[in-house]
Amino acid sequence: GQSLMAKAAYNARTEYRDERTGTATKDYAYKGGLLESFVAFDPKTDAPEWVKTDPQRLLTAAVAAEKNKNAREAQEIVLGLIDELSPQKNRWMLNDFIREQFTRGTGRVVIGNIHAPSEHGDQRNTHAHILLLLREIGPEGFGERLPALEPEDYQHIRQKWAEKGAKELRKAGFEIEADRYAEGYRELEQQRQAARERGDLAW
């Protein structure tokens, strides 16, 4: 129910101007915790330079491409990064995942923001907010509508992220953590049963 402008400002811990209303979004800089912001898309789309360098213009163009007042402007997923891996390895893994699942050959633009754990929360909870724009990008800007994610797509994404995280943990020598992470997308009782079967009673 939130506008793309408002959600993007919150995720980026900043303020954007909504050209439709002539007003600025709430300034979220006070919240802090932003580690990195980025935009991802397939370079084969030959997208304009502003897609990568000017987030205000990118968001304004994405909003303007929607003619219906109640049109969905974007969808969001939140991915937990892995505490046992370095920030660099987490970033490489996130890059690969976004390319494999969302941008390669699709024309989709992804806006990402990585947040540090909240001051009073679990200090392992570094995470990425991923906004998926819903129109394909090309040399002239935004064009045709892209398919929206359905509920079953989110489950598929969760599974693929768990598989990728487990693979990276195993490569880094974290075997037990990899086994646990591989099951992390399942319901809690399924995770418990998998832990029993592998003799991981601590988990």
Side-chain angles (χ1 to χ4, degrees):
Q2 197 173 27
S3 72
L4 171 58
M5 280 290 184
K7 186 60 180 170
Y10 175 84
N11 288 357
R13 299 297 195 252
T14 190
E15 179 183 69
Y16 293 122
R17 184 174 180 80
D18 191 334
E19 300 297 338
R20 293 174 301 182
T21 62
T23 59
T25 63
K26 183 177 179 181
D27 187 350
Y28 291 99
Y30 74 94
K31 292 190 72 67
L34 179 69
L35 297 178
E36 184 182 354
S37 294
F38 61 90
V39 175
F41 56 92
D42 191 332
K44 292 181 181 179
T45 59
D46 197 22
E49 182 67 18
W50 49 261
V51 174
K52 193 78 171 179
T53 62
D54 190 340
Q56 174 69 66
R57 185 171 178 182
L58 168 62
L59 292 163
T60 298
V63 169
E66 302 300 339
K67 305 307 178 186
N68 296 330
K69 290 183 178 180
N70 64 344
R72 178 183 281 168
E73 299 168 336
Q75 290 179 287
E76 183 182 40
I77 60 172
V78 180
L79 297 171
L81 302 185
I82 299 178
D83 189 58
E84 290 85 356
L85 301 180
S86 70
Q88 186 179 52
K89 285 187 177 180
N90 270 298
R91 188 66 170 87
W92 287 342
M93 184 175 76
L94 185 61
N95 283 349
D96 285 347
F97 189 76
I98 289 172
R99 181 173 60 252
E100 292 164 2
Q101 299 297 323
F102 304 120
T103 63
R104 185 165 55 199
T106 66
R108 192 183 297 278
V109 177
V110 170
I111 301 171
N113 294 277
I114 299 176
H115 289 182
S118 65
E119 189 174 325
H120 305 293
D122 188 336
Q123 292 306 296
R124 298 168 297 178
N125 188 32
T126 304
H127 56 280
H129 290 261
I130 306 298
L131 284 174
L132 309 174
L133 302 190
L134 293 178
R135 286 188 180 272
E136 64 181 10
I137 197 69
E140 306 302 319
F142 287 103
E144 294 299 312
R145 188 98 173 151
L146 292 165
L149 297 181
E150 300 296 336
E152 58 269 21
D153 296 320
Y154 282 95
Q155 182 66 5
H156 172 78
I157 290 165
R158 291 182 67 197
Q159 180 177 353
K160 290 298 181 184
W161 182 249
E163 290 172 357
K164 194 163 193 68
K167 179 180 178 181
E168 294 302 319
L169 281 165
R170 225 175 288 283
K171 283 164 60 176
F174 294 98
E175 292 292 337
I176 294 174
E177 292 82 356
D179 288 340
R180 293 169 177 175
Y181 205 86
E183 302 291 335
Y185 72 98
R186 299 184 187 276
E187 298 294 333
L188 284 177
E189 185 50 45
Q190 293 175 311
Q191 292 186 49
R192 293 188 189 102
Q193 182 58 33
R196 291 187 199 104
E197 289 174 358
R198 66 175 181 264
D200 187 0
L201 300 184
W203 190 246

